[in-house]
Amino acid sequence: MKTRKYLEPEVVTMPREKLKALQLRRLKLQLRRCYENSGFYKEKLVEAGVRPNDIRSLGDVTLLPFVTKSELREEQMAFPPFGRHAVSPSKTWAELHPSTGTTGIPVNNLWSHKDVKLITQWTARTMWTFGVRPGDVIQNAFSYGLWVAGMSTHYAARELGCFVIPIGASMTERQIDYLLTPGPTVILCTPSYALHIAERLKQRGISPEDIPLRIGCFGGEGGAEVPATRDKIEKGLGIEAFDYYGLAEIGPTIASECPEKAGIHWVEDHLLIEIVHPETRKPCEPGEVGVLVITHLTKEATPMIRYWTNDLAKLDERKCGCGRTHARSPGGILGRADDMIVYKGAKFYPVQVEKVVRSLCELSDEFCIELTTDPNLGTDACTILVECLKEEDISRVTPQIKHGLREECQVTPEVRFVPFGTLERTTFKAKRIVDKRKKD
Ligand SMILES: [Zn+2]
């Protein structure tokens, strides 16, 4: 089994025509279930003037209304505790995994017993895609518990016949002790935490060559596909680093890179992936960046139909060099639609600042984008806070950062140096934007 190139080869290399026919069959079934068993979906479809029978091709999915996070929150408040989008009866429920609540009240998501099996199956597949094999020792530094990724990767690692260290996203010193012994071959965590672990490893005088880690997969936030970040993680931990993506409403670990590193492969037999223009709300052209919209084809408990993720991505449906036919998003998640910064007429995302900051070896990995109101002019001000490893390099590196930002973001925000160690190190997801602007 260990030498097999694919897990579920008949699924991951399925001709696209066949895959699309499977998606359409599953979409029709899912839609009928939702229409018949969920007041939430029935009302939405009636309001949009569409019935399940109107969906005759995958293209017809555009007739269906989007589901947004704020709408789920309202539904949950009106019909507590789970809302009427909980389609399957309570006796089928197995686990509760709410969203993190970083943008408001957490949205409750349910996994049925059947969902747990499916999630375990597709997570095992995505882990196989980036190179996990039976016998690997996995240091699982994803947060366990309510957050989705810790549990799913744990179940999948067990399913694959691996030995798991379920440490979770904490105890950085012990993470490092375990890297030495028992010495995992695979690490899973957020990219921010990977950089933090690498920084502590260096401070403790441990060389990446002293630990047996082979690969790492990093999700929960973007970054693993930013070349400078990937390079820092790979060098800092002595591994090959891969990108991974999931979200609470849809599920954990629904896409991962393969050894070609040509984008994250979606589990398209379980999900219908669309890229939609953020303003016109029409489908994007192939390769165009837009908002990722996802439909559950098989999820039982709280299925999402056209969920507006607010994450930005592009889609490539061409067969990958690895032989897999499931579509990829090159570059992974490219930002959050609501994280766009508009400054002096230019529009940019934190990921672009990350590219510049992490390409300069004089700087630490941390940065923060501070938005304020100029007290004299009343206009918006934007300052990038960075840390220089050695104070004497500040004057030399300042013009390089400014030049990099101008090239990447088409605008030059202010740059402010803070002492090394000032910016928050995280074991979870980094908060990159601090908005202190005066609101009218
Ligand atoms: Zn591939």
Side-chain angles (χ1 to χ4, degrees):
M1 181 177 173
K2 230 174 163 172
T3 54
R4 270 170 43 186
K5 187 172 178 186
Y6 311 112
L7 197 65
E8 300 181 88
E10 65 293 345
V11 179
V12 299
T13 62
M14 187 183 282
R16 285 202 70 79
E17 286 304 303
K18 213 174 148 191
L19 180 62
K20 290 193 170 184
L22 173 73
Q23 287 182 316
L24 181 60
R25 269 199 315 279
R26 288 182 168 175
L27 175 66
K28 285 179 174 175
L29 282 173
Q30 182 70 288
L31 216 51
R32 182 149 294 288
R33 276 186 75 227
C34 289
Y35 189 80
E36 286 170 1
N37 302 308
S38 158
F40 172 74
Y41 280 115
K42 182 155 192 180
E43 276 173 26
K44 278 182 75 74
L45 263 62
V46 167
E47 202 180 311
V50 50
R51 289 172 158 271
N53 283 345
D54 296 333
I55 306 302
R56 296 187 188 93
S57 71
L58 284 182
D60 289 339
V61 75
T62 56
L63 301 171
L64 302 168
F66 298 109
V67 172
T68 64
K69 193 166 195 163
S70 58
E71 195 180 2
L72 293 176
R73 255 188 219 119
E74 282 165 25
E75 172 70 16
Q76 194 173 288
M77 284 196 283
F79 298 92
F82 301 117
R84 293 167 303 157
H85 54 286
V87 176
S88 70
S90 57
K91 65 178 183 207
T92 66
W93 302 347
E95 294 184 25
L96 171 67
H97 291 282
S99 60
T100 51
T102 39
T103 55
I105 302 164
V107 171
N108 288 320
N109 301 289
L110 300 161
W111 297 359
S112 70
H113 290 277
K114 191 178 142 211
D115 292 333
V116 173
K117 278 191 192 142
L118 286 177
I119 288 166
T120 303
Q121 184 192 358
W122 82 48
T123 303
R125 192 201 296 169
T126 51
M127 288 171 74
W128 191 280
T129 303
F130 68 79
V132 174
R133 294 293 179 270
D136 266 318
V137 181
I138 299 183
Q139 183 145 322
N140 192 357
F142 276 137
S143 174
Y144 271 75
L146 293 175
W147 197 50
V148 289
M151 300 295 283
S152 68
T153 48
H154 183 93
Y155 294 149
R158 295 274 310 274
E159 183 80 15
L160 287 171
C162 299
F163 170 37
V164 193
I165 308 169
I167 184 164
S170 63
M171 304 189 288
T172 308
E173 296 315 309
R174 206 188 288 183
Q175 299 269 0
I176 291 163
D177 295 341
Y178 285 155
L179 288 178
L180 289 162
T181 180
T185 50
V186 179
I187 186 164
L188 309 173
C189 61
T190 62
S192 296
Y193 197 30
L195 290 169
H196 181 38
I197 292 173
E199 190 179 77
R200 283 297 299 141
L201 203 64
K202 196 173 171 192
Q203 285 163 352
R204 277 179 56 177
I206 302 164
S207 159
E209 285 158 19
D210 299 336
I211 55 174
L213 269 188
R214 187 179 95 247
I215 47 177
C217 201
F218 306 98
E221 57 179 3
E225 284 190 68
V226 173
T229 302
R230 178 166 1 229
D231 189 54
K232 283 200 164 190
I233 295 175
E234 291 191 334
K235 289 202 174 100
L237 294 174
I239 56 167
E240 200 177 342
F242 295 89
D243 190 19
Y244 218 2
Y245 173 73
L247 72 166
E249 290 74 18
I250 300 296
T253 53
I254 51 179
S256 82
E257 280 187 297
C258 68
E260 296 287 321
K261 300 202 180 97
I264 45 174
H265 279 282
W266 297 97
V267 287
E268 281 196 287
D269 48 329
H270 295 291
L271 305 172
L272 186 69
I273 306 293
E274 295 174 79
I275 306 290
V276 176
H277 191 283
E279 278 140 32
T280 65
R281 307 209 154 195
K282 297 254 178 359
C284 283
E285 294 298 321
E288 193 187 345
V289 176
V291 173
L292 184 60
V293 171
I294 307 181
T295 297
H296 275 133
L297 299 174
T298 52
K299 177 105 188 284
E300 185 179 52
T302 45
M304 291 290 118
I305 305 288
R306 299 198 91 201
Y307 182 68
W308 185 270
T309 65
N310 239 341
D311 283 332
L312 298 169
K314 52 188 172 183
L315 199 66
D316 189 344
E317 292 193 2
R318 291 172 300 177
K319 188 175 176 178
C320 179
C322 73
R324 288 176 179 84
T325 52
H326 289 217
R328 290 162 286 136
S329 285
I333 300 307
L334 305 169
R336 294 273 305 162
D338 48 7
D339 269 357
M340 189 171 74
I341 297 157
V342 182
Y343 178 57
K344 290 186 177 172
K347 294 173 179 174
F348 63 96
Y349 291 96
V351 67
Q352 292 169 276
V353 176
E354 178 181 335
K355 263 188 207 167
V356 177
V357 171
R358 295 200 174 144
S359 66
L360 296 165
C361 60
E362 292 87 351
L363 303 179
S364 84
D365 302 321
E366 299 302 326
F367 68 94
C368 179
I369 302 166
E370 197 176 77
L371 302 172
T372 51
T373 303
D374 186 301
N376 301 317
L377 304 170
T379 53
D380 284 354
C382 176
T383 309
I384 313 294
L385 274 59
V386 291
E387 297 175 347
C388 209
L389 301 177
K390 291 183 200 147
E391 223 170 291
E392 60 266 30
D393 288 336
I394 290 180
S395 56
R396 189 167 52 80
V397 83
T398 304
Q400 292 179 30
I401 309 175
K402 292 203 167 183
H403 174 75
L405 289 170
R406 195 165 52 245
E407 291 283 301
E408 182 64 41
C409 309
Q410 316 303 322
V411 70
T412 317
E414 292 300 313
V415 174
R416 193 164 83 228
F417 286 88
V418 294
F420 180 76
T422 308
L423 299 172
E424 191 196 0
R425 268 65 173 165
T426 180
T427 62
F428 194 46
K429 301 186 199 190
K431 184 170 164 50
R432 296 297 178 197
I433 301 177
V434 176
D435 193 349
K436 296 178 176 172
R437 285 175 295 188
K438 279 193 193 129
K439 298 282 185 301
D440 294 328

